[in-house]
Amino acid sequence: MKKKRIAFKTLGCRLNQYETDSLVTDFVNGGYDIVGFDEDADAYIINTCTVTNMSDHKSRQTISQAYRRNPGAVLVVTGCMANHHKEKLEKNGRITYTVENERKGSIFHLLDSHFKGEIIHPEELVHDRFNFGAAEKSFHSRSLIKIQDGCNNFCTFCIVPFVRGRAVSRPYRDIEKNIREVAGFGYKEVVLTGVNIGRYEHEGLNFEGLIEKILNIPGEFRVRISSIEPEGFGDRLFDMFSHPRLTPHLHLCLQSGSDKILLKMKRQYTVGEFTSMVYKIRSIIPDFNFTTDIIVGFPGETEEDFRETCHIADETGFSHIHTFKYSVRKGTRAEHMPDHIPEKVKNERSAVIRAIAGKHKQAYRSSFIGKEQMVLVEKIDGKDFAGGYGEHYIPVRFRADDDTAIREFRKVMITGWDTGPDGLLRGTVVH
Ligand code: SF4
């Protein structure tokens, strides 16, 4: 019998990507074929995002694309938009199943039963946010590891706690088992992900304690910490960055450089605390890589507040800034705040932050010319050039040699800039 074809589309964060990778493995092990999202399939699974209006828009567009591709296919919508707009999606006749985040891990069971003629209502599925197996087959070269879900912070602009639920941490034994399994599959880098991972806490084990235990798991893999809020963990973590297996990079979410705006956002740190964290880590590793998220145009943000944000962005020298224009999310406290900023001003401020980011990206990457990076190979193109990221999370392209293989490390000496448009660095393999 011809194998059923399943297509996936994932929007949003690494947590969504981890969950999709795990589902992909379920379907491959279950005897299904995974096809591209632009191909004809028997089922389309869309793992949506709802963090901004634009994310909702892209999620809706993706749903229409799948339907147009094959109106007869089974259409499964899951992810944060499924939690945020459940009723509306359930009324959408094009969608076969709307599956909330808490039940996402059981989508293989749902579809496999469907194709065997047994129709299950999504709400009969297991309600477990950690119901995901180790991802052997995945769309990524590094293995994403979910350690935590949900958040209790309720920052005034953020919809995530409403769609990902309260903060919950995964038991260490399950995390360790997951890491040993993916190391066994040949993954050379694990990326720890969640919603507010710095707040990890399980049976007395906190985030620093977790990192320490993970660094003691034997195996030829390195550990990367995914996006993290600048709170919930202590200074003990900073010293751990001198461990050769913990990569010297943090995506530390600043959001604003104005204490007045941080208070309105109900963020749990001050600008001073943020910058002292940066300086402490840089005192241990001077070329440590910081990237961040910044929201421009938060209600009440004055020119003065914005200048403070620009000052911190410049001073910290982030090698990348994910710039968000404030986006009203229904149901959040900021929705009802006064002094919403005109779109035109948001666009102007966003452009200013991007310019600052571009300048520092260039400077930070240039500082690696003449230095070595241990590059995890992600792709090898037709011209025998390989590409991937070094431990400092900088993208490098180099001429592949016989030992160069996808998902393997190559030590590379950075020699200059690559000729292509992507701002990659060029290097040569160090034998
Ligand atoms: S810490 Fe704030 S921004 Fe981050 S997920 Fe929680 S509520 Fe949202």
Side-chain angles (χ1 to χ4, degrees):
M1 191 168 77
K2 195 162 165 287
K3 283 186 178 181
K4 293 281 185 207
R5 298 153 301 158
I6 313 293
F8 287 85
K9 186 78 173 185
T10 306
L11 297 112
C13 64
R14 282 185 163 157
L15 192 50
N16 256 9
Q17 292 164 22
Y18 158 86
E19 292 162 348
T20 296
D21 284 347
S22 175
L23 292 174
V24 166
T25 302
D26 290 345
F27 282 95
V28 170
N29 294 346
Y32 290 78
D33 271 344
I34 307 299
V35 297
F37 193 74
D38 52 1
E39 293 176 54
D40 190 22
D42 300 291
Y44 295 91
I45 301 173
I46 302 169
N47 198 355
T48 62
C49 174
T50 196
V51 83
T52 63
N53 291 334
M54 181 50 77
S55 321
D56 274 354
H57 174 66
K58 285 187 181 154
S59 297
R60 282 192 297 274
Q61 272 186 329
T62 309
I63 292 167
S64 305
Q65 279 166 10
Y67 183 77
R68 281 198 303 276
R69 204 146 289 143
N70 180 357
V74 179
L75 188 42
V76 179
V77 174
T78 188
C80 294
M81 198 167 103
N83 286 64
H84 195 191
H85 301 299
K86 186 163 179 277
E87 285 72 36
K88 217 190 280 174
L89 293 169
E90 284 175 339
K91 290 194 191 97
N92 178 329
R94 295 176 163 193
I95 298 170
T96 320
Y97 297 109
T98 299
V99 182
E100 293 168 292
N101 278 322
E102 303 81 353
R103 295 181 171 82
K104 190 191 295 182
S106 305
I107 287 176
F108 172 77
H109 173 56
L110 177 75
L111 271 188
D112 195 45
S113 308
H114 178 102
F115 287 125
K116 290 185 174 109
E118 187 200 343
I119 303 304
I120 299 171
H121 190 286
E123 285 180 14
E124 293 169 52
L125 298 172
V126 172
H127 185 295
D128 175 357
R129 288 183 278 174
F130 296 122
N131 179 29
F132 295 94
E136 179 173 5
K137 308 278 180 259
S138 100
F139 294 119
H140 303 95
S141 306
R142 48 182 61 81
S143 182
L144 304 167
I145 305 288
K146 180 176 183 174
I147 63 169
Q148 185 272 351
D149 203 340
C151 185
N152 300 340
N153 285 20
F154 289 91
C155 299
T156 55
F157 56 83
C158 186
I159 195 73
V160 176
F162 300 92
V163 292
R164 281 266 175 195
R166 293 298 76 68
V168 60
S169 296
R170 191 179 179 195
Y172 172 70
R173 65 180 175 282
D174 296 344
I175 295 171
E176 178 177 339
K177 180 169 172 286
N178 194 167
I179 290 176
R180 285 180 183 274
E181 283 173 312
V182 295
F185 298 148
Y187 285 96
K188 297 283 189 302
E189 183 173 302
V190 297
V191 183
L192 309 179
T193 190
V195 172
N196 192 349
I197 59 176
R199 292 261 175 206
Y200 180 90
E201 206 289 324
H202 191 266
E203 293 174 356
L205 182 69
N206 65 9
F207 187 63
E208 299 95 299
L210 173 72
I211 300 296
E212 203 161 42
K213 285 171 86 75
I214 290 174
L215 291 173
N216 289 327
I217 300 173
E220 200 209 342
F221 62 88
R222 64 187 181 193
V223 180
R224 189 175 299 282
I225 295 173
S226 180
S227 177
I228 190 164
E229 306 290 346
E231 42 93 14
F233 52 85
D235 290 14
R236 215 175 110 215
L237 179 71
F238 307 156
D239 296 328
M240 289 183 206
F241 281 110
S242 36
H243 190 293
R245 294 175 72 195
L246 187 57
T247 56
H249 164 232
L250 271 184
H251 188 81
L252 199 61
C253 304
L254 173 66
Q255 303 300 7
S256 174
S258 150
D259 278 326
K260 186 193 94 188
I261 297 296
L262 288 180
L263 268 177
K264 286 167 76 78
M265 289 176 164
K266 203 174 148 284
R267 300 290 280 169
Q268 319 256 330
Y269 54 89
T270 63
V271 173
E273 285 160 348
F274 183 95
T275 49
S276 92
M277 216 178 260
V278 169
Y279 292 133
K280 278 182 191 156
I281 294 177
R282 283 217 172 117
S283 69
I284 300 165
I285 302 181
D287 62 0
F288 193 94
N289 187 6
F290 286 99
T291 55
T292 197
D293 291 349
I294 286 179
I295 295 175
V296 296
F298 187 79
E301 183 185 65
T302 61
E303 270 308 319
E304 178 48 32
D305 298 324
F306 179 63
R307 272 197 295 281
E308 287 175 8
T309 298
C310 294
H311 173 68
I312 296 296
D314 238 334
E315 182 141 306
T316 310
F318 296 106
S319 80
H320 179 70
I321 301 176
H322 213 167
T323 311
F324 292 91
K325 290 186 292 180
Y326 171 71
S327 170
V328 178
R329 304 313 287 141
K330 269 199 160 339
T332 60
R333 282 174 46 202
E335 177 192 9
H336 306 293
M337 285 182 184
D339 308 323
H340 280 246
I341 309 294
E343 202 59 24
K344 182 174 170 300
V345 177
K346 288 184 197 173
N347 291 337
E348 289 160 4
R349 290 179 182 174
S350 176
V352 172
I353 294 291
R354 286 176 202 286
I356 293 172
K359 177 182 71 179
H360 287 289
K361 178 180 279 188
Q362 181 87 5
Y364 182 76
R365 291 183 180 182
S366 297
S367 72
F368 282 85
I369 296 172
K371 292 183 182 171
E372 290 177 351
Q373 281 287 291
M374 190 59 86
V375 176
L376 179 66
V377 179
E378 293 193 14
K379 55 180 177 241
I380 300 177
D381 63 24
K383 304 188 200 78
D384 286 337
F385 272 89
Y389 284 79
E391 62 269 33
H392 286 76
Y393 209 60
I394 48 171
V396 181
R397 195 161 173 264
F398 59 95
R399 183 171 293 285
D401 61 2
D402 300 349
D403 298 334
T404 301
I406 302 279
R407 286 190 195 158
E408 293 295 337
F409 287 126
R410 295 307 282 140
K411 188 185 281 186
V412 176
M413 169 57 77
I414 310 295
T415 53
W417 288 95
D418 188 52
T419 48
D422 310 327
L424 306 182
L425 288 163
R426 174 67 72 85
T428 53
V429 172
V430 177
H431 292 288

